[in-house]
Structure formats: C-alpha cells, structure tokens
Amino acid sequence: MNLRLSADQEAFRRAVCELLCEDSVRDEVARTRRLPADDEPGLLEVYRRLGERGWLATNWPVEHGGLGSSIVEKAILTEQMIVHGIPDVVHTLSIDIVGLAIQRLGTEAQKSSLLPPLAAGRSVGCVLLTEPEIGSDLGGLSARAEPDGDGWRLYGRKVYSLKSQFADFALCAARTTESEVRFHGITVFIVPMRAPGVRVEPLWSMSDERFNEVVLSGIRMTPDDVLGDLDDGWQVLHDLLGIERTGIEFEAKARRLLDAVLDEAERAGSIKNSEYGELLVALDAEVRAGQLLAWQALGDMLDGELDDVRCAMAKWHTTETAKRISELGPEICGLTALLSARDDEAIPGWLLESAFRDAPGLTLASGTSEVMLSLIASAGLGLLS
C-alpha cells in the first residue's frame, strides 16, 4: 500500500495536532495525570471537542456522527491522540472496537441509536468477553442466555473488563444454544450497563486503568439487542478481535515511549554510552517496523479485507516492542525513571513509570503474544497443520 498521506490527510493531521496542542487540552491532560492512584479518567472534554468536529469517529457516516472519510483519517486521529498523551482507552474501546463492530454488523436501528452518542464523545461502550475459568478461550464460555418468552435472561460473570464502570452499554458474549461444535451457539448481545441486574465491581491491579468484574443476574435481552446473527457470535467476535489487532495504538505508544526515553537519555548523557546508543538505534528500527506493519494491516481493512495473520503480526510486534521499551527505559535513564508522575521529584510530564506498570497487559489484551505466534505459525506459515 501507499504509506504516504495525501494532501488532505496531511492537512487533517495538522488540524488535529493544533487542537491537541491547545492550552486547555494540555491542562486537561496534566490534570488526568495527577489523579489519585485509585481514580482514572472517563469521558474527557477533549473527546467532546473532537466529536463536535466529527473527528472522533471521522470514518463513520455523517448521519452517525462522523465525516464519511476513510479509516486512514481515523488512524491519524488515534496516533495523534496517543502522541499528545490523551488518555485513549475510552476512545479505543468506544470508537475503534465497539463502535466499529456496530458500524459493520449492527442493524440500522442499532446504528442510529448507539453510534451518534459515541461519535460525539457523550457515551462509552465496553466489551464483556473474558471469564474467570476460560481466559481467552471464548469457545468455553459459561455465560448463558436462557429463553424467556420472545427473548432471554442473561446470566454470567465477566472479568478484566476495562472502563465498564463508565460504560453505557457493552458487547457481551453468551451461549444461547448448546452445541457439540464449541464455537457454535454463541451470541453477542448489546447490554445496557446501568440496568438492574448488572453489577460492576473493581479488580484492582498495578495498572492505572482499573479492571472490573461484571456480574449479570438475569437482565432481559430481546432480539433487538442481538448484534449480528443469533448463535453466530463467533463470527462477530472474530471480526471484533481482528479490529483490535491492527496495532495502530500500540505502535503509537511505542513511539511516544521511545521518544521520552531518547529525550531523557540525552539530558542525562547516557545516550553517549555506546552500548545504550546501539540499543536505542535498534529500538527505533523496531518501532518503525511496527508502524509499517500496523499501517499495512490498516490498508487491508481499507481494501475491505481483514488479514488475520497480518493483524496478529502487527499486534505481536508492536506490543512486544512497547513492552521492551518500558522495561529497558529505567536501565537507560536511571532510577528517576521509576518515579511516579505524581512525585514532586519526577521528570516533568514523565510517563515511563506508568508504562512500566502497564507493560505486562500490552501483551495480554486483545490476544496474548503466545496466541498471536500460534496464529502466525499455523495460518501464516502452515507449521502446525
């Protein structure tokens, strides 16, 4: 694919950059970084400002809150938000995963009611997939939808759900039909998160982004709440996981982390160390390779295809690279790199300490590195057939 931006796309990138560099946005970002350790940002004013311009979901149709542009403009926005330090998890979940799944697979009624508030930065969507006993093995789902008149009652327990404490609705996978075929009989429901029968509790960890446990106790679902086809939720999940794995947000995070390490290494003088210098050059090459992989995966989607192997390659490479930078940063920059941004003696605007704690999750979320390598080996290289 052609990796050079068009004149219009470059103008869009500059316009987004200008907005994200405004003092009010920088002040909001600084405030979120000073939040207490048990707090975290939800919807931000900058999301609403982006939404007002149709930029938050720029590739969606105008009637759904976007500008009708391509997924390239959407990727440009994602990169710029991360480069400028805008907290991105709510945005990634609501727009890049949940919203895009509804855009591709939802009914017209679902699109009309759910997408405009997401695109305007006034609503949050999340996903409810992982369960305590199955991890990433969605074929072993125990959450169930029991028949109830013309609908179902939903029961189950989901874990490691991000931002569900802020969410208005969630995409939830549950079993609707028992089948000898493990991946048949799964249905994806659109669950209102503030309805009776939905309980959200924190699962605390080292990460700044809190995980949650979500318990579903008989909340009623109707055919209007089904995303995609009944009992064919595996196909919905396949598309959903592919959307998560383009690697765009991970390569942008790796770039931002490495730039921070480079700046501090130069200030501290460690960049003159030949060992560190060679290491930083190698890391820069890995970040650039990850960007190319991510944009190639995006190019497949632009052409109406979803290359599972390329997405797995992009997801594996970009997350492993970002994790490696997070782990090597303190060695290169010294112990001050491990001071929290809330510490008065921390490097101004420092982000590596937080990234160091978040790093293990990068290679677990959206499919573990081991699962990605298995997919590459089997579907890509034919080694496990």
Side-chain angles (χ1 to χ4, degrees), residues 236-295:
V236 177
L237 297 175
H238 173 271
D239 289 350
L240 184 62
L241 291 172
I243 290 167
E244 286 190 81
R245 292 173 180 165
T246 59
I248 289 293
E249 68 271 24
F250 299 123
E251 60 90 359
K253 288 180 179 180
R255 177 80 269 166
R256 184 167 180 251
L257 281 175
L258 183 57
D259 286 347
V261 170
L262 286 168
D263 288 345
E264 177 56 19
E266 184 173 11
R267 187 194 69 80
S270 54
I271 200 169
K272 297 178 182 178
N273 179 306
S274 60
E275 179 184 351
Y276 289 150
E278 292 176 5
L279 178 58
L280 289 167
V281 169
L283 287 173
D284 183 73
E286 291 182 24
V287 170
R288 292 172 186 268
Q291 185 181 37
L292 289 173
L293 273 172
W295 276 89

Side-chain angles (χ1 to χ4, degrees), residues 89-331:
V89 176
V90 165
H91 163 256
T92 299
L93 276 171
S94 299
I95 304 297
D96 295 343
I97 299 174
V98 173
L100 190 54
I102 294 171
Q103 183 69 51
R104 294 177 59 168
L105 303 166
T107 65
E108 288 305 315
Q110 289 168 346
K111 294 176 186 178
S112 298
S113 63
L114 298 174
L115 294 182
L118 290 178
R122 293 185 286 105
S123 180
V124 177
C126 70
V127 294
L128 303 178
L129 303 180
T130 304
E131 297 183 2
E133 303 302 324
I134 65 164
S136 299
D137 180 16
L138 298 178
L141 283 175
S142 62
R144 66 193 188 281
E146 298 182 355
D148 179 50
D150 62 349
W152 303 264
R153 293 283 178 179
L154 197 57
Y155 297 90
R157 179 182 170 218
K158 302 289 184 174
V159 292
Y160 305 127
S161 174
L162 286 169
K163 301 298 184 182
S164 45
Q165 73 271 37
F166 301 116
D168 299 290
F169 68 95
L171 302 186
C172 176
R175 188 164 293 282
T176 41
T177 301
E178 293 298 328
S179 173
E180 294 181 359
V181 180
R182 295 178 72 244
F183 296 114
H184 177 69
I186 297 171
T187 299
V188 175
F189 292 95
I190 301 173
V191 176
M193 289 296 289
R194 306 185 195 284
V198 178
R199 189 177 83 248
V200 180
E201 298 290 346
L203 294 173
W204 299 112
S205 70
M206 293 190 300
S207 173
D208 286 335
E209 308 287 349
R210 147 186 158 184
F211 291 111
N212 293 295
E213 173 189 62
V214 179
V215 178
L216 306 164
S217 304
I219 181 172
R220 193 170 193 281
M221 298 281 97
T222 72
D224 292 338
D225 300 316
V226 173
L227 180 66
D229 294 328
L230 187 68
D231 287 339
D232 196 29
W234 176 247
Q235 187 59 49
V236 177
L237 297 175
H238 173 271
D239 289 350
L240 184 62
L241 291 172
I243 290 167
E244 286 190 81
R245 292 173 180 165
T246 59
I248 289 293
E249 68 271 24
F250 299 123
E251 60 90 359
K253 288 180 179 180
R255 177 80 269 166
R256 184 167 180 251
L257 281 175
L258 183 57
D259 286 347
V261 170
L262 286 168
D263 288 345
E264 177 56 19
E266 184 173 11
R267 187 194 69 80
S270 54
I271 200 169
K272 297 178 182 178
N273 179 306
S274 60
E275 179 184 351
Y276 289 150
E278 292 176 5
L279 178 58
L280 289 167
V281 169
L283 287 173
D284 183 73
E286 291 182 24
V287 170
R288 292 172 186 268
Q291 185 181 37
L292 289 173
L293 273 172
W295 276 89
Q296 285 179 329
L298 195 80
D300 294 332
M301 294 182 66
L302 187 63
D303 294 335
E305 302 175 359
L306 190 63
D307 188 325
D308 290 337
V309 174
R310 180 123 59 198
C311 286
M313 291 169 62
K315 198 276 175 182
W316 175 82
H317 182 92
T318 55
T319 55
E320 288 290 342
T321 300
K323 181 180 179 182
R324 189 156 178 252
I325 295 169
S326 301
E327 293 170 345
L328 289 172
E331 178 183 338

